[in-house]
Amino acid sequence: MDARLEAIRDTVLARNPGEAEFHQAVVEVFESLGPVHDRHPEFLEAAILERLCEPERQIIFRVPWTDDAGRVQINRGFRVEFNSALGPYKGGLRFHPSVYLGIVKFLGFEQIFKNALTGMPIGGGKGGSDFDPRGRSDAEVMRFCQSFMTELYRHIGEYTDVPAGDIGVGGREIGYLFGQYKRITNRYESGVLTGKGISWGGSLVRPEATGFGTVIFTQEMLKTRGSSFDGQRVVVSGSGNVAINAIAKAQSLGATVVACSDSSGYVVDEAGIDVALLREVKEVERGRLKDYAERRGGVSYVDGGSVWDVDATVALPCATQNELDGDAAARLVRGGLLAVGEGANMPSTRDAVAVFQDAGVLFGPGKAANAGGVATSALEMQQNASRDSWSFEHTEERLTEIMVGIHHRCASTADEYGQPGNYVLGANIGGFVKVADAMLAQGLI
Ligand code: NDP
């Protein structure tokens, strides 16, 4: 790492003790930014990096609610409004028992660069709670969401901060959150949340956008080697929103997705995952992958273990952070891996990224490859602002243009800085320079 940046990094790590995921995200970005500061010493003089690593606002609050047995439950809510240089804070809410400030800050920090790369007018933020929706009834999830919004509403707004979904927050949760916001404020402010239902301000393609976008970005990487998804053997981790739609898109382009996972195990389905059945089990019945394996028949289900034990030519990690380590990466490389497109945020550890890059595997980092979700959220905001709704085809066309544009921005930035094919460097520098220029122009704020 550039010596000038090491001192800043040390201060950031010391100021944010015990936040391992935030540290990891900061270090990964800093490792790319030395060459930018050679060209732009004004960024150092204006302390852009120090300011960028300090969120503009961090909100932590109590979320009390009652479960179906009438017992009082207490969770912790978070919203980190990280950077508004380019637009209102924008980023999802995650409901998962592992959520704490360090996770929310890593996600919010990554979101700043991701949102800048989309070319849309959106700043970076993220939020969530340690609430676990798994195994909870609809009524419990609704009471939790209503209590969560009873505090959050005062901090958000279509020109201020626009949350969306993430792990554990899908259409059901966004519905309950929006209903409570509307009730408290007495305003039908569609643009305050994205990921809404189609009949009440949502956008077509938003549910598919992150998974579709990840595949479109990966296809662009494959094209640089004269290849495509057609005929690839693909492994996807996760079986949630991002994973299912990545599987659907990859198979529509001629690939065979032979395996996917959840937090209990993974399924190997050599004929290619049956997407309609997977949607039925996971999205409608809220069941487990084990149920898919039983219903599908003729496939193997592995309890526990790692889906990365299955050989693939393309890997799409779409579950969670740090799910793919250096050993798993080395195994995949030995098995003939050509490309990795990160649908999840920071799913590959730093060791894994190094293994992929050293082996010459095409590697698309999450902040570029999964930006289709937030980009389509911005398209949802555009439709809300103009009280319009676009067709599926038009919206998907816009998503494709945006993903091709992000790929181009990353690739051309990597070329410009003398590291062709380094999408990590391209994404970090491409996003950073846009935000840094805006911060410089806006004075010391
Ligand atoms: P979902 O909640 O819909 O699905 C998450 C999937 O990952 C589930 O299959 C879940 O398994 C699995 N998973 C979650 N945590 C773990 C864990 N600790 N270990 C193993 N498996 C786990 O979430 P999304 O699909 O929305 O999000 C997936 C990833 O994509 C996250 O990193 C998220 O930040 C990122 N992302 C999402 C966007 C979106 O638009 N939704 C946008 C950009 C990025 P189980 O069911 O067993 O919990």
Side-chain angles (χ1 to χ4, degrees):
M1 184 182 298
D2 185 290
R4 296 163 301 178
L5 304 192
E6 272 178 12
I8 304 172
R9 174 204 60 192
D10 291 345
T11 310
V12 172
L13 302 197
R15 276 171 73 87
N16 299 278
E19 297 176 357
E21 296 82 2
F22 178 52
H23 294 183
Q24 185 182 341
V26 166
V27 169
E28 190 255 320
V29 168
F30 275 36
E31 277 173 346
S32 299
L33 296 183
V36 179
H37 289 86
D38 294 336
R39 289 193 196 181
H40 296 282
E42 69 275 18
F43 292 161
L44 280 175
E45 276 158 36
I48 294 291
L49 269 180
E50 290 90 327
R51 286 196 270 151
L52 204 55
C53 292
E54 188 66 27
E56 290 176 16
R57 193 171 298 106
Q58 305 183 56
I59 303 144
I60 304 181
F61 51 99
R62 179 172 64 205
V63 189
W65 56 284
T66 44
D67 65 20
D68 285 346
R71 279 187 301 262
V72 173
Q73 302 278 345
I74 307 292
N75 286 100
R76 188 170 289 171
F78 301 89
R79 187 72 185 165
V80 173
E81 298 179 334
F82 228 115
N83 193 292
S84 61
L86 299 181
Y89 311 106
K90 183 85 196 84
L93 298 171
R94 174 176 294 191
F95 292 169
H96 192 272
S98 62
V99 167
Y100 77 107
L101 190 59
I103 296 256
V104 181
K105 279 166 69 177
F106 119 64
L107 291 164
F109 185 70
E110 292 253 300
Q111 198 82 44
I112 302 169
F113 306 97
K114 180 189 307 193
N115 293 4
L117 282 171
T118 66
M120 322 285 283
I122 41 180
K126 200 84 187 188
S129 173
D130 57 1
F131 171 69
D132 188 356
R134 270 198 300 167
R136 292 292 180 189
S137 68
D138 285 354
E140 288 177 318
V141 171
M142 182 179 76
R143 286 196 293 275
F144 173 81
C145 288
Q146 289 181 338
S147 182
F148 186 85
M149 186 53 86
T150 300
E151 172 58 33
L152 188 69
Y153 88 95
R154 68 189 88 241
H155 307 289
I156 63 174
E158 64 178 314
Y159 297 111
T160 317
D161 183 354
V162 183
D166 191 80
I167 290 179
V169 179
R172 172 182 63 171
E173 290 74 18
I174 294 292
Y176 295 147
L177 291 164
F178 183 74
Q180 184 73 350
Y181 182 84
K182 180 165 69 68
R183 183 185 187 198
I184 296 173
T185 60
N186 193 28
R187 277 201 306 272
Y188 204 106
E189 188 186 334
S190 301
V192 70
L193 288 169
T194 58
K196 300 181 293 296
I198 292 306
S199 60
W200 46 277
S203 174
L204 288 166
V205 192
R206 178 61 190 91
E208 295 85 0
T210 308
F212 277 24
T214 301
V215 170
I216 297 166
F217 186 93
T218 308
Q219 172 97 328
E220 290 302 300
M221 292 200 298
L222 288 165
K223 278 188 198 165
T224 66
R225 304 249 171 108
S227 187
S228 74
F229 262 95
D230 195 19
Q232 303 290 352
R233 179 183 164 89
V234 180
V235 169
V236 174
S237 62
S239 49
N241 171 273
V242 179
I244 292 175
N245 290 295
I247 295 168
K249 187 72 174 175
Q251 298 204 142
S252 78
L253 294 175
T256 307
V257 180
V258 296
C260 66
S261 63
D262 61 17
S263 56
S264 310
Y266 66 92
V267 68
V268 182
D269 188 342
E270 290 288 346
I273 300 286
D274 179 340
V275 176
L277 178 61
L278 187 62
R279 283 194 194 281
E280 178 70 21
V281 171
K282 298 294 290 192
E283 294 181 339
V284 180
E285 298 166 12
R286 297 184 186 277
R288 310 296 298 157
L289 210 46
K290 199 172 180 186
D291 305 327
Y292 167 91
E294 278 164 14
R295 299 252 289 273
R296 173 94 159 130
V299 302
S300 57
Y301 175 77
V302 181
D303 212 16
S306 167
V307 74
W308 305 121
D309 287 343
V310 182
D311 284 347
T313 55
V314 177
L316 302 174
C318 297
T320 193
Q321 65 278 351
N322 292 329
E323 50 154 309
L324 200 171
D325 63 15
D327 291 342
R331 236 181 354 258
L332 285 166
V333 168
R334 283 196 301 275
L337 188 71
L338 302 174
V340 179
E342 292 190 326
N345 286 308
M346 210 168 73
S348 311
T349 64
R350 293 180 62 224
D351 288 350
V353 177
V355 169
F356 293 140
Q357 292 188 323
D358 289 348
V361 168
L362 293 162
F363 177 75
K367 62 170 78 72
N370 72 33
V374 74
T376 309
S377 278
L379 299 180
E380 182 174 333
M381 291 163 73
Q382 282 184 19
Q383 293 169 73
N384 294 152
S386 58
R387 301 195 186 283
D388 198 1
S389 51
W390 305 341
S391 68
F392 193 96
E393 292 69 27
H394 175 67
T395 317
E396 193 180 16
E397 216 171 280
R398 293 287 309 271
L399 168 65
T400 305
E401 276 167 20
I402 291 166
M403 294 314 298
V404 171
I406 294 172
H407 176 270
H408 176 73
R409 204 159 298 135
C410 295
S412 59
T413 306
D415 288 347
E416 185 189 334
Y417 282 85
Q419 295 203 37
N422 186 342
Y423 291 94
V424 173
L425 181 118
N428 286 337
I429 295 185
F432 171 76
V433 169
K434 198 150 187 252
V435 179
D437 280 341
M439 288 176 72
L440 214 52
Q442 292 171 16
L444 184 53
I445 51 171

